[in-house]
Amino acid sequence: MKELKLMKGNEAFAEGTIRAGADAYFGYPITPQSEVLEYLMAVRPYETTGMVVLQAESEIAAINMVYGGASCGKRVLTSSSSPGISLKQEGISYLAGAELPCIILNVVRGGPGLGTIQPSQSDYFQSVKGGGHGDYKCIVLAPSSVQEMYDFPKLGFELAFKYRNPVLILSDGIIGQMMEKVYLDEPTPRWSEEEVIKNSPWATTGKVVDRERNIITSLILEASIQEKHVIKLYEKYKVIEENEIRYETFQCEDAEYLFVAYGSSARICQKAVQILREKGIKAGLLRPITLLPYPKKAINDLSKQIKSIVVVEMSMGQMVEDVMLAVECKIPVNHYGRTGGVIPSPKEVADFMMQKIKGE
Amino acid sequence: MNEEIIIAGFGGQGVLSMGKILAYSGIMQDKEVSWMPSYGPEMRGGTANVTVIISDERVSSPVLNEFDTAIILNQQSMDKFETSVKLGGILIYDGNGITRHPKRKDIKIYRIDAAEKAAETGVAKVFNMVVLGGFLKIKPIVKLENVIKGIEKSLPARYHNLIPLNEKALKIGMEYIYEVNIN
C-alpha cells in the first residue's frame, strides 16, 4: 500500500533521496530549492537510515564532498539552483572524468548572473552541452511533476551506478515550489559495506590483498592514455543513448501540430493542447524526460506526420536547437519562450501556435 | 469537475495555508490537485497568492492566466485579479480595506466580511477558514468532512486541538457570505 501525501517538489525530492537509500546529501541553501535541505534537516534521516545530511560551507565544498563520497562507492547527492550549479561545474567535470556516480539537482531560476529567484529553463545548454570543461556528458533527467521529483532520485541512482556517471536532474522553480499528490513507495535500504564493495568494485573501499589498488582520479597526464579514456567515455555515452532515452507523448496519435517542451513548460503545453483541441486544431505534445540522451528519433519519426513544431521553453531558445537537429530541417520549427523568471500562460502558448498555423 | 482558483491577499493572512487545506481536502475526496504559490520577492512583506486546481483528471498546467474563482483579500489583489476571472466565473472578496470595489457585470460577485467575523470568535487567525467556508458555500466542490480531514493533514498534531475552532470558522463563513449585485 503506497502512502499518499501532498508535497512540494523540493520536499518530494528530499523524501525520495531518503527512500532511495541515499548515503549522504551535501548542500548549501539557495532559493528556490532550499526546501531540500530544510526538509532533510527536519526529517533527520541520520537518526533513522543513517543518511548523512550536511550543510557545507559553500556549493563548491558540497560538490567536492560528493566527489569524496562517490569515490567510496556511496550513493551521494547535492542540490542547488542556477548560480550555485555554475559554481559546481568544475566538480561536475571532475566527477565525469573520474566516472563517479552521483545525483545533482538543479532547481533552475532566471539568469544570467545572480538573476532572479523565479522559475526558468535557461540552464539547458549548461546541462546538456557541457557546463564544465572537457569532453564529457551527464545523464540529464527533467521532471515535470512532483511525483517525478520523488521518483527520480531512485531512477537517478540506478542510472548513475549502472554507467558510473553523474546524473543531473534538471528541474525548475515551478516544479520545486508547487504541491501535488505524491505516492510514496517502500524505502530501499542503504547498502551495507558488503553491498557497496559488491556493487562498486571500482570504489576506494580499502585495499585488499588479492587485487590491484583502486584509484579514483581525473588526472591522466599522458595524452595518448587520456585520449583512450575519453574515447571509452564516449563509447559509454553511446550505450546510454541506445538504452536510456525516455519521453512521453500527449495526444500525438492524430496530431498535425506538435509542441516539444520539458519540465513545467510541458505542463503548460498540455493545457495549450487542450485549448487548441477545443478549437478543432489537432495539436499534440512530446515531452522529453531524458534531455541527455535526447529523444531525437521519436521527434524525427513524428515529424513525418506533423506540419510544424513549436518548442516552448522558459528561455530565449536552447532546446529548440536540438529539435531542429532532430527533424533535419524537414518541417518548420518555431520557438516560443519567456525568460528572466516570467512564466508563459497556456493561452499565450496556444495563441502563438495559432498564429504560426495561420501564417503558414 | 475542474475548478481553477486563485487566492490572493497579503502575506500573513493565511492565503497559502488556506490553499493547502483546500488542496488536501481535494485529495481526501479522491481528486487530482495542484497548489502553486507565488514565491517571488513580492511575498516578502507584500502580496501573496496561490493557484489551486481541483479536478477529476490529471492537472495539466499548474500556472494559469484565468480562473473559475478568484478569492481576493486585499486591494492590490483586486486590481490584479478582478480581470482574470473567466466569463460567468465567481469573485469572492473581503470588503475590509477595499477602496475600489469590483465592477464586473459578467461574473458573479460575493462578499464576505471575514476579518470582522473572525475577530468576533476571539481568534482573528481563523480568518482564512471563514473565507474558505464562504467559498465552499458557493462552490461545494469538497464535502465539509473532507475539509476537516484536510485540516488534520495540514496541521501538525500539536495544533489538532484547534480543529473544532476551525470547523466553527468554516461554518461562520458559510453563513455570512452574500451576493453583491452590481448595477
Side-chain angles (χ1 to χ4, degrees):
Chain A
M1 179 65 193
K2 286 188 170 185
E3 199 182 328
L4 178 62
K5 271 191 140 178
L6 180 70
M7 296 178 106
K8 279 192 171 191
N10 289 333
E11 297 168 343
F13 176 83
E15 182 65 35
T17 66
I18 301 171
R19 294 196 186 219
D23 294 299
Y25 168 89
F26 307 105
Y28 188 81
I30 179 172
T31 305
Q33 65 81 54
S34 295
E35 291 84 1
V36 175
L37 181 54
E38 285 167 13
Y39 184 91
L40 289 171
M41 286 295 186
V43 173
R44 307 161 85 89
Y46 34 90
E47 290 174 358
T48 51
T49 72
M51 174 185 174
V52 171
V53 181
L54 195 132
Q55 179 175 334
E57 65 268 38
S58 71
E59 287 87 349
I60 296 171
I63 193 74
N64 287 302
M65 288 173 185
V66 166
Y67 188 101
S71 301
C72 304
K74 300 284 186 183
R75 288 189 282 195
V76 297
L77 71 145
T78 185
S79 68
S80 191
S81 177
S82 309
I85 294 290
S86 290
L87 288 169
K88 290 181 194 291
Q89 289 304 330
E90 181 197 40
I92 295 171
S93 169
Y94 278 51
L95 284 153
E99 291 192 87
L100 290 175
C102 65
I103 292 175
I104 302 135
L105 168 70
N106 184 0
V107 183
V108 180
R109 58 189 251 180
L114 213 43
T116 170
I117 61 174
Q118 281 154 323
S120 184
Q121 295 181 310
S122 46
D123 296 356
Y124 178 87
F125 280 153
Q126 186 197 49
S127 308
V128 307
K129 309 288 181 196
H133 60 280
D135 272 332
Y136 80 91
K137 293 173 196 277
C138 293
I139 296 168
V140 183
L141 302 172
S144 85
S145 65
V146 175
Q147 184 68 47
E148 285 185 340
M149 285 291 272
Y150 171 80
D151 292 336
F152 283 5
K154 195 173 181 178
L155 173 64
F157 279 134
E158 275 169 26
L159 296 172
F161 277 84
K162 186 172 174 188
Y163 297 105
R164 276 190 69 182
N165 207 71
V167 169
L168 190 68
I169 298 179
L170 189 66
S171 183
D172 64 65
I174 295 177
I175 305 295
Q177 291 296 324
M178 73 184 290
M179 285 204 272
E180 285 187 303
K181 261 186 191 180
V182 189
Y183 290 95
L184 307 177
D185 55 4
E186 285 299 314
T188 308
R190 286 178 54 228
W191 287 336
S192 65
E193 292 305 316
E194 292 73 29
E195 284 170 311
V196 169
I197 292 167
K198 186 172 148 276
N199 295 332
S200 309
W202 47 265
T204 51
T205 46
K207 169 87 173 72
V208 287
V209 182
D210 56 348
R211 76 156 160 77
E212 284 286 298
R213 203 170 255 111
N214 282 342
I215 299 171
I216 305 291
T217 183
S218 68
L219 177 73
I220 308 169
L221 284 172
E222 185 66 50
S224 61
I225 303 174
Q226 176 68 44
E227 186 189 43
K228 266 189 201 146
H229 175 63
V230 174
I231 290 170
K232 193 189 89 182
L233 290 181
Y234 272 71
E235 280 163 4
K236 176 172 82 176
Y237 303 150
K238 217 178 139 202
V239 177
I240 293 172
E241 178 150 11
E242 279 160 14
N243 296 317
E244 305 301 345
I245 290 173
R246 289 169 167 78
Y247 62 92
E248 182 184 54
T249 55
F250 177 71
Q251 306 223 350
C252 280
E253 297 74 22
D254 62 340
E256 292 175 358
Y257 300 94
L258 184 70
F259 286 112
V260 181
Y262 70 95
S264 51
S265 286
R267 299 283 297 264
I268 292 161
C269 287
Q270 208 179 318
K271 181 89 179 179
V273 168
Q274 290 163 359
I275 294 171
L276 289 164
R277 290 258 167 188
E278 278 164 24
K279 290 180 180 167
I281 308 282
K282 286 180 179 170
L285 164 68
L286 185 142
R287 172 175 82 90
I289 297 170
T290 51
L291 298 177
L292 200 158
Y294 197 72
K296 274 180 264 183
K297 187 175 178 298
I299 295 172
N300 191 288
D301 289 349
L302 262 177
S303 71
K304 288 159 198 161
Q305 76 179 65
I306 295 289
K307 291 178 183 160
S308 72
I309 292 179
V310 172
V311 179
V312 179
E313 296 171 82
M314 288 190 287
S315 78
M316 293 304 284
Q318 301 191 7
M319 184 177 77
V320 63
E321 293 187 5
D322 283 334
V323 177
M324 284 172 169
L325 285 172
V327 302
E328 296 162 339
C329 302
K330 276 184 277 192
I331 54 168
V333 177
N334 301 292
H335 175 260
Y336 186 78
R338 298 299 299 266
T339 191
V342 177
I343 305 166
S345 73
K347 187 177 173 294
E348 67 183 274
V349 169
D351 286 350
F352 180 82
M353 185 172 266
M354 274 301 257
Q355 255 177 35
K356 289 292 156 192
I357 293 170
K358 282 179 186 160
E360 273 170 22
Chain B
M1 193 273 292
N2 184 55
E3 176 75 11
E4 300 170 341
I5 307 150
I6 181 123
I7 310 169
F10 283 121
Q13 275 179 319
V15 165
L16 299 187
S17 56
M18 174 180 164
K20 186 177 175 184
I21 288 166
L22 183 55
Y24 244 130
S25 313
I27 290 183
M28 294 299 127
Q29 203 155 311
D30 284 332
K31 302 291 179 194
E32 296 296 327
V33 304
S34 76
W35 175 98
M36 177 67 208
S38 64
Y39 70 92
E42 78 274 14
M43 264 176 81
R44 303 188 176 163
T47 58
N49 70 70
V50 61
T51 303
V52 177
I53 305 172
I54 300 185
S55 180
D56 290 329
E57 280 159 38
R58 195 174 131 186
V59 176
S60 55
S61 176
V63 182
L64 301 165
N65 56 317
E66 49 174 24
F67 306 92
D68 299 306
T69 303
I71 300 174
I72 293 176
L73 304 173
N74 68 3
Q75 187 61 53
Q76 287 97 316
S77 303
M78 184 70 81
D79 298 341
K80 196 168 172 188
F81 293 113
E82 182 184 354
T83 52
S84 309
V85 181
K86 286 181 199 169
L87 209 69
I90 283 172
L91 187 155
I92 295 171
Y93 76 108
D94 185 337
N96 185 30
I98 298 288
T99 51
R100 288 185 301 281
H101 289 258
K103 294 186 191 75
R104 280 181 62 181
K105 292 177 181 170
D106 54 357
I107 57 173
K108 284 196 157 194
I109 295 172
Y110 296 86
R111 179 167 167 171
I112 181 158
D113 295 315
E116 190 187 312
K117 292 293 163 195
E120 283 172 19
T121 68
V123 185
K125 277 201 283 191
V126 296
F127 166 77
N128 61 350
M129 289 301 100
V130 177
V131 176
L132 182 59
F135 166 71
L136 291 171
K137 169 79 181 182
I138 307 306
K139 282 263 172 103
I141 50 171
V142 277
K143 290 184 197 149
L144 185 62
E145 60 187 84
N146 287 325
V147 180
I148 303 299
K149 284 186 198 160
I151 295 173
E152 275 173 23
K153 284 276 190 179
S154 301
L155 282 182
R158 64 181 184 277
Y159 294 130
H160 280 187
N161 60 327
L162 298 174
I163 290 171
L165 178 64
N166 280 286
E167 185 171 356
K168 188 179 155 198
L170 286 166
K171 286 178 178 160
I172 291 171
M174 289 177 171
E175 194 177 337
Y176 286 100
I177 191 162
Y178 60 95
E179 188 169 355
V180 179
N181 291 311
I182 307 284
N183 296 310

